[in-house]
mmCIF file with all atom_site columns, all heavy atoms in Angstrom:
data_model
loop_
_atom_site.group_PDB
_atom_site.id
_atom_site.type_symbol
_atom_site.label_atom_id
_atom_site.label_alt_id
_atom_site.label_comp_id
_atom_site.label_asym_id
_atom_site.label_entity_id
_atom_site.label_seq_id
_atom_site.pdbx_PDB_ins_code
_atom_site.Cartn_x
_atom_site.Cartn_y
_atom_site.Cartn_z
_atom_site.occupancy
_atom_site.B_iso_or_equiv
_atom_site.pdbx_formal_charge
_atom_site.auth_seq_id
_atom_site.auth_comp_id
_atom_site.auth_asym_id
_atom_site.auth_atom_id
_atom_site.pdbx_PDB_model_num
ATOM 1   N N   . ALA A 1 433 ? 48.340 11.000 18.319 1.00 93.00 ? 433 ALA A N   1
ATOM 2   C CA  . ALA A 1 433 ? 47.188 11.866 18.069 1.00 93.00 ? 433 ALA A CA  1
ATOM 3   C C   . ALA A 1 433 ? 47.363 13.203 18.777 1.00 93.00 ? 433 ALA A C   1
ATOM 4   O O   . ALA A 1 433 ? 47.817 13.263 19.935 1.00 93.00 ? 433 ALA A O   1
ATOM 5   C CB  . ALA A 1 433 ? 45.909 11.183 18.547 1.00 93.00 ? 433 ALA A CB  1
ATOM 6   N N   . ASP A 1 434 ? 46.965 14.280 18.082 1.00 93.00 ? 434 ASP A N   1
ATOM 7   C CA  . ASP A 1 434 ? 47.009 15.594 18.721 1.00 93.00 ? 434 ASP A CA  1
ATOM 8   C C   . ASP A 1 434 ? 45.794 15.728 19.639 1.00 93.00 ? 434 ASP A C   1
ATOM 9   O O   . ASP A 1 434 ? 44.884 14.881 19.630 1.00 93.00 ? 434 ASP A O   1
ATOM 10  C CB  . ASP A 1 434 ? 47.051 16.707 17.672 1.00 93.00 ? 434 ASP A CB  1
ATOM 11  C CG  . ASP A 1 434 ? 45.837 16.718 16.758 1.00 93.00 ? 434 ASP A CG  1
ATOM 12  O OD1 . ASP A 1 434 ? 44.721 16.410 17.216 1.00 93.00 ? 434 ASP A OD1 1
ATOM 13  O OD2 . ASP A 1 434 ? 45.996 17.022 15.556 1.00 93.00 ? 434 ASP A OD2 1
ATOM 14  N N   . PRO A 1 435 ? 45.722 16.772 20.465 1.00 94.00 ? 435 PRO A N   1
ATOM 15  C CA  . PRO A 1 435 ? 44.622 16.910 21.426 1.00 94.00 ? 435 PRO A CA  1
ATOM 16  C C   . PRO A 1 435 ? 43.234 16.898 20.790 1.00 94.00 ? 435 PRO A C   1
ATOM 17  O O   . PRO A 1 435 ? 42.290 16.322 21.349 1.00 94.00 ? 435 PRO A O   1
ATOM 18  C CB  . PRO A 1 435 ? 44.908 18.258 22.097 1.00 94.00 ? 435 PRO A CB  1
ATOM 19  C CG  . PRO A 1 435 ? 46.395 18.406 21.997 1.00 94.00 ? 435 PRO A CG  1
ATOM 20  C CD  . PRO A 1 435 ? 46.766 17.807 20.679 1.00 94.00 ? 435 PRO A CD  1
ATOM 21  N N   . VAL A 1 436 ? 43.093 17.528 19.640 1.00 94.00 ? 436 VAL A N   1
ATOM 22  C CA  . VAL A 1 436 ? 41.785 17.556 18.977 1.00 94.00 ? 436 VAL A CA  1
ATOM 23  C C   . VAL A 1 436 ? 41.366 16.145 18.558 1.00 94.00 ? 436 VAL A C   1
ATOM 24  O O   . VAL A 1 436 ? 40.223 15.724 18.762 1.00 94.00 ? 436 VAL A O   1
ATOM 25  C CB  . VAL A 1 436 ? 41.810 18.493 17.750 1.00 94.00 ? 436 VAL A CB  1
ATOM 26  C CG1 . VAL A 1 436 ? 40.500 18.378 16.967 1.00 94.00 ? 436 VAL A CG1 1
ATOM 27  C CG2 . VAL A 1 436 ? 42.042 19.927 18.184 1.00 94.00 ? 436 VAL A CG2 1
ATOM 28  N N   . LEU A 1 437 ? 42.309 15.403 17.979 1.00 95.00 ? 437 LEU A N   1
ATOM 29  C CA  . LEU A 1 437 ? 42.011 14.040 17.546 1.00 95.00 ? 437 LEU A CA  1
ATOM 30  C C   . LEU A 1 437 ? 41.713 13.139 18.741 1.00 95.00 ? 437 LEU A C   1
ATOM 31  O O   . LEU A 1 437 ? 40.823 12.288 18.686 1.00 95.00 ? 437 LEU A O   1
ATOM 32  C CB  . LEU A 1 437 ? 43.179 13.477 16.730 1.00 95.00 ? 437 LEU A CB  1
ATOM 33  C CG  . LEU A 1 437 ? 42.977 12.082 16.131 1.00 95.00 ? 437 LEU A CG  1
ATOM 34  C CD1 . LEU A 1 437 ? 41.735 12.056 15.245 1.00 95.00 ? 437 LEU A CD1 1
ATOM 35  C CD2 . LEU A 1 437 ? 44.210 11.651 15.349 1.00 95.00 ? 437 LEU A CD2 1
ATOM 36  N N   . ARG A 1 438 ? 42.437 13.339 19.831 1.00 96.00 ? 438 ARG A N   1
ATOM 37  C CA  . ARG A 1 438 ? 42.182 12.531 21.029 1.00 96.00 ? 438 ARG A CA  1
ATOM 38  C C   . ARG A 1 438 ? 40.762 12.776 21.554 1.00 96.00 ? 438 ARG A C   1
ATOM 39  O O   . ARG A 1 438 ? 40.090 11.841 22.007 1.00 96.00 ? 438 ARG A O   1
ATOM 40  C CB  . ARG A 1 438 ? 43.198 12.858 22.116 1.00 96.00 ? 438 ARG A CB  1
ATOM 41  C CG  . ARG A 1 438 ? 44.585 12.296 21.864 1.00 96.00 ? 438 ARG A CG  1
ATOM 42  C CD  . ARG A 1 438 ? 45.482 12.506 23.071 1.00 96.00 ? 438 ARG A CD  1
ATOM 43  N NE  . ARG A 1 438 ? 46.798 11.903 22.874 1.00 96.00 ? 438 ARG A NE  1
ATOM 44  C CZ  . ARG A 1 438 ? 47.741 11.843 23.812 1.00 96.00 ? 438 ARG A CZ  1
ATOM 45  N NH1 . ARG A 1 438 ? 47.498 12.345 25.019 1.00 96.00 ? 438 ARG A NH1 1
ATOM 46  N NH2 . ARG A 1 438 ? 48.906 11.283 23.552 1.00 96.00 ? 438 ARG A NH2 1
ATOM 47  N N   . THR A 1 439 ? 40.320 14.011 21.498 1.00 96.00 ? 439 THR A N   1
ATOM 48  C CA  . THR A 1 439 ? 38.964 14.335 21.939 1.00 96.00 ? 439 THR A CA  1
ATOM 49  C C   . THR A 1 439 ? 37.932 13.583 21.112 1.00 96.00 ? 439 THR A C   1
ATOM 50  O O   . THR A 1 439 ? 36.950 13.047 21.639 1.00 96.00 ? 439 THR A O   1
ATOM 51  C CB  . THR A 1 439 ? 38.717 15.848 21.834 1.00 96.00 ? 439 THR A CB  1
ATOM 52  O OG1 . THR A 1 439 ? 39.632 16.536 22.688 1.00 96.00 ? 439 THR A OG1 1
ATOM 53  C CG2 . THR A 1 439 ? 37.293 16.191 22.241 1.00 96.00 ? 439 THR A CG2 1
ATOM 54  N N   . LYS A 1 440 ? 38.173 13.511 19.815 1.00 97.00 ? 440 LYS A N   1
ATOM 55  C CA  . LYS A 1 440 ? 37.236 12.815 18.933 1.00 97.00 ? 440 LYS A CA  1
ATOM 56  C C   . LYS A 1 440 ? 37.309 11.302 19.118 1.00 97.00 ? 440 LYS A C   1
ATOM 57  O O   . LYS A 1 440 ? 36.281 10.614 19.094 1.00 97.00 ? 440 LYS A O   1
ATOM 58  C CB  . LYS A 1 440 ? 37.511 13.191 17.475 1.00 97.00 ? 440 LYS A CB  1
ATOM 59  C CG  . LYS A 1 440 ? 37.202 14.650 17.157 1.00 97.00 ? 440 LYS A CG  1
ATOM 60  C CD  . LYS A 1 440 ? 37.431 14.967 15.693 1.00 97.00 ? 440 LYS A CD  1
ATOM 61  C CE  . LYS A 1 440 ? 37.062 16.411 15.396 1.00 97.00 ? 440 LYS A CE  1
ATOM 62  N NZ  . LYS A 1 440 ? 37.246 16.759 13.968 1.00 97.00 ? 440 LYS A NZ  1
ATOM 63  N N   . ILE A 1 441 ? 38.501 10.777 19.295 1.00 97.00 ? 441 ILE A N   1
ATOM 64  C CA  . ILE A 1 441 ? 38.639 9.329  19.513 1.00 97.00 ? 441 ILE A CA  1
ATOM 65  C C   . ILE A 1 441 ? 37.869 8.910  20.762 1.00 97.00 ? 441 ILE A C   1
ATOM 66  O O   . ILE A 1 441 ? 37.126 7.919  20.751 1.00 97.00 ? 441 ILE A O   1
ATOM 67  C CB  . ILE A 1 441 ? 40.124 8.935  19.641 1.00 97.00 ? 441 ILE A CB  1
ATOM 68  C CG1 . ILE A 1 441 ? 40.844 9.096  18.294 1.00 97.00 ? 441 ILE A CG1 1
ATOM 69  C CG2 . ILE A 1 441 ? 40.251 7.494  20.134 1.00 97.00 ? 441 ILE A CG2 1
ATOM 70  C CD1 . ILE A 1 441 ? 42.345 8.893  18.378 1.00 97.00 ? 441 ILE A CD1 1
ATOM 71  N N   . ALA A 1 442 ? 38.050 9.673  21.837 1.00 97.00 ? 442 ALA A N   1
ATOM 72  C CA  . ALA A 1 442 ? 37.397 9.319  23.095 1.00 97.00 ? 442 ALA A CA  1
ATOM 73  C C   . ALA A 1 442 ? 35.894 9.525  23.026 1.00 97.00 ? 442 ALA A C   1
ATOM 74  O O   . ALA A 1 442 ? 35.107 8.650  23.435 1.00 97.00 ? 442 ALA A O   1
ATOM 75  C CB  . ALA A 1 442 ? 37.998 10.138 24.236 1.00 97.00 ? 442 ALA A CB  1
ATOM 76  N N   . GLY A 1 443 ? 35.467 10.676 22.504 1.00 97.00 ? 443 GLY A N   1
ATOM 77  C CA  . GLY A 1 443 ? 34.038 10.982 22.474 1.00 97.00 ? 443 GLY A CA  1
ATOM 78  C C   . GLY A 1 443 ? 33.254 10.105 21.511 1.00 97.00 ? 443 GLY A C   1
ATOM 79  O O   . GLY A 1 443 ? 32.250 9.487  21.881 1.00 97.00 ? 443 GLY A O   1
ATOM 80  N N   . LEU A 1 444 ? 33.716 10.042 20.262 1.00 97.00 ? 444 LEU A N   1
ATOM 81  C CA  . LEU A 1 444 ? 33.028 9.212  19.278 1.00 97.00 ? 444 LEU A CA  1
ATOM 82  C C   . LEU A 1 444 ? 33.171 7.732  19.616 1.00 97.00 ? 444 LEU A C   1
ATOM 83  O O   . LEU A 1 444 ? 32.233 6.943  19.438 1.00 97.00 ? 444 LEU A O   1
ATOM 84  C CB  . LEU A 1 444 ? 33.585 9.494  17.873 1.00 97.00 ? 444 LEU A CB  1
ATOM 85  C CG  . LEU A 1 444 ? 33.379 10.918 17.337 1.00 97.00 ? 444 LEU A CG  1
ATOM 86  C CD1 . LEU A 1 444 ? 34.108 11.089 16.006 1.00 97.00 ? 444 LEU A CD1 1
ATOM 87  C CD2 . LEU A 1 444 ? 31.898 11.235 17.167 1.00 97.00 ? 444 LEU A CD2 1
ATOM 88  N N   . GLY A 1 445 ? 34.349 7.361  20.124 1.00 97.00 ? 445 GLY A N   1
ATOM 89  C CA  . GLY A 1 445 ? 34.559 5.976  20.536 1.00 97.00 ? 445 GLY A CA  1
ATOM 90  C C   . GLY A 1 445 ? 33.649 5.574  21.677 1.00 97.00 ? 445 GLY A C   1
ATOM 91  O O   . GLY A 1 445 ? 33.162 4.441  21.736 1.00 97.00 ? 445 GLY A O   1
ATOM 92  N N   . GLY A 1 446 ? 33.403 6.505  22.598 1.00 97.00 ? 446 GLY A N   1
ATOM 93  C CA  . GLY A 1 446 ? 32.492 6.232  23.700 1.00 97.00 ? 446 GLY A CA  1
ATOM 94  C C   . GLY A 1 446 ? 31.080 5.955  23.209 1.00 97.00 ? 446 GLY A C   1
ATOM 95  O O   . GLY A 1 446 ? 30.395 5.050  23.702 1.00 97.00 ? 446 GLY A O   1
ATOM 96  N N   . LEU A 1 447 ? 30.626 6.722  22.210 1.00 98.00 ? 447 LEU A N   1
ATOM 97  C CA  . LEU A 1 447 ? 29.301 6.509  21.636 1.00 98.00 ? 447 LEU A CA  1
ATOM 98  C C   . LEU A 1 447 ? 29.225 5.160  20.917 1.00 98.00 ? 447 LEU A C   1
ATOM 99  O O   . LEU A 1 447 ? 28.228 4.434  21.031 1.00 98.00 ? 447 LEU A O   1
ATOM 100 C CB  . LEU A 1 447 ? 28.967 7.646  20.661 1.00 98.00 ? 447 LEU A CB  1
ATOM 101 C CG  . LEU A 1 447 ? 28.837 9.047  21.268 1.00 98.00 ? 447 LEU A CG  1
ATOM 102 C CD1 . LEU A 1 447 ? 28.671 10.082 20.162 1.00 98.00 ? 447 LEU A CD1 1
ATOM 103 C CD2 . LEU A 1 447 ? 27.666 9.123  22.233 1.00 98.00 ? 447 LEU A CD2 1
ATOM 104 N N   . LEU A 1 448 ? 30.290 4.820  20.185 1.00 98.00 ? 448 LEU A N   1
ATOM 105 C CA  . LEU A 1 448 ? 30.307 3.557  19.449 1.00 98.00 ? 448 LEU A CA  1
ATOM 106 C C   . LEU A 1 448 ? 30.303 2.360  20.391 1.00 98.00 ? 448 LEU A C   1
ATOM 107 O O   . LEU A 1 448 ? 29.617 1.364  20.145 1.00 98.00 ? 448 LEU A O   1
ATOM 108 C CB  . LEU A 1 448 ? 31.528 3.513  18.527 1.00 98.00 ? 448 LEU A CB  1
ATOM 109 C CG  . LEU A 1 448 ? 31.692 2.246  17.681 1.00 98.00 ? 448 LEU A CG  1
ATOM 110 C CD1 . LEU A 1 448 ? 30.459 1.993  16.817 1.00 98.00 ? 448 LEU A CD1 1
ATOM 111 C CD2 . LEU A 1 448 ? 32.940 2.350  16.801 1.00 98.00 ? 448 LEU A CD2 1
ATOM 112 N N   . ARG A 1 449 ? 31.053 2.438  21.472 1.00 98.00 ? 449 ARG A N   1
ATOM 113 C CA  . ARG A 1 449 ? 31.089 1.326  22.430 1.00 98.00 ? 449 ARG A CA  1
ATOM 114 C C   . ARG A 1 449 ? 29.703 1.072  23.028 1.00 98.00 ? 449 ARG A C   1
ATOM 115 O O   . ARG A 1 449 ? 29.260 -0.078 23.156 1.00 98.00 ? 449 ARG A O   1
ATOM 116 C CB  . ARG A 1 449 ? 32.104 1.624  23.549 1.00 98.00 ? 449 ARG A CB  1
ATOM 117 C CG  . ARG A 1 449 ? 33.549 1.496  23.128 1.00 98.00 ? 449 ARG A CG  1
ATOM 118 C CD  . ARG A 1 449 ? 34.490 2.022  24.206 1.00 98.00 ? 449 ARG A CD  1
ATOM 119 N NE  . ARG A 1 449 ? 34.681 1.087  25.298 1.00 98.00 ? 449 ARG A NE  1
ATOM 120 C CZ  . ARG A 1 449 ? 35.721 0.248  25.405 1.00 98.00 ? 449 ARG A CZ  1
ATOM 121 N NH1 . ARG A 1 449 ? 36.629 0.194  24.438 1.00 98.00 ? 449 ARG A NH1 1
ATOM 122 N NH2 . ARG A 1 449 ? 35.848 -0.534 26.447 1.00 98.00 ? 449 ARG A NH2 1
ATOM 123 N N   . ILE A 1 450 ? 29.002 2.137  23.386 1.00 98.00 ? 450 ILE A N   1
ATOM 124 C CA  . ILE A 1 450 ? 27.664 1.984  23.964 1.00 98.00 ? 450 ILE A CA  1
ATOM 125 C C   . ILE A 1 450 ? 26.707 1.384  22.928 1.00 98.00 ? 450 ILE A C   1
ATOM 126 O O   . ILE A 1 450 ? 25.938 0.469  23.221 1.00 98.00 ? 450 ILE A O   1
ATOM 127 C CB  . ILE A 1 450 ? 27.141 3.334  24.489 1.00 98.00 ? 450 ILE A CB  1
ATOM 128 C CG1 . ILE A 1 450 ? 27.922 3.736  25.748 1.00 98.00 ? 450 ILE A CG1 1
ATOM 129 C CG2 . ILE A 1 450 ? 25.637 3.259  24.786 1.00 98.00 ? 450 ILE A CG2 1
ATOM 130 C CD1 . ILE A 1 450 ? 27.594 5.121  26.263 1.00 98.00 ? 450 ILE A CD1 1
#
Side-chain angles (χ1 to χ4, degrees):
D434 61 35
V436 173
L437 184 57
R438 286 187 177 186
T439 298
K440 293 182 178 181
I441 291 173
L444 297 174
L447 295 173
L448 180 57
R449 286 171 78 97
I450 289 174

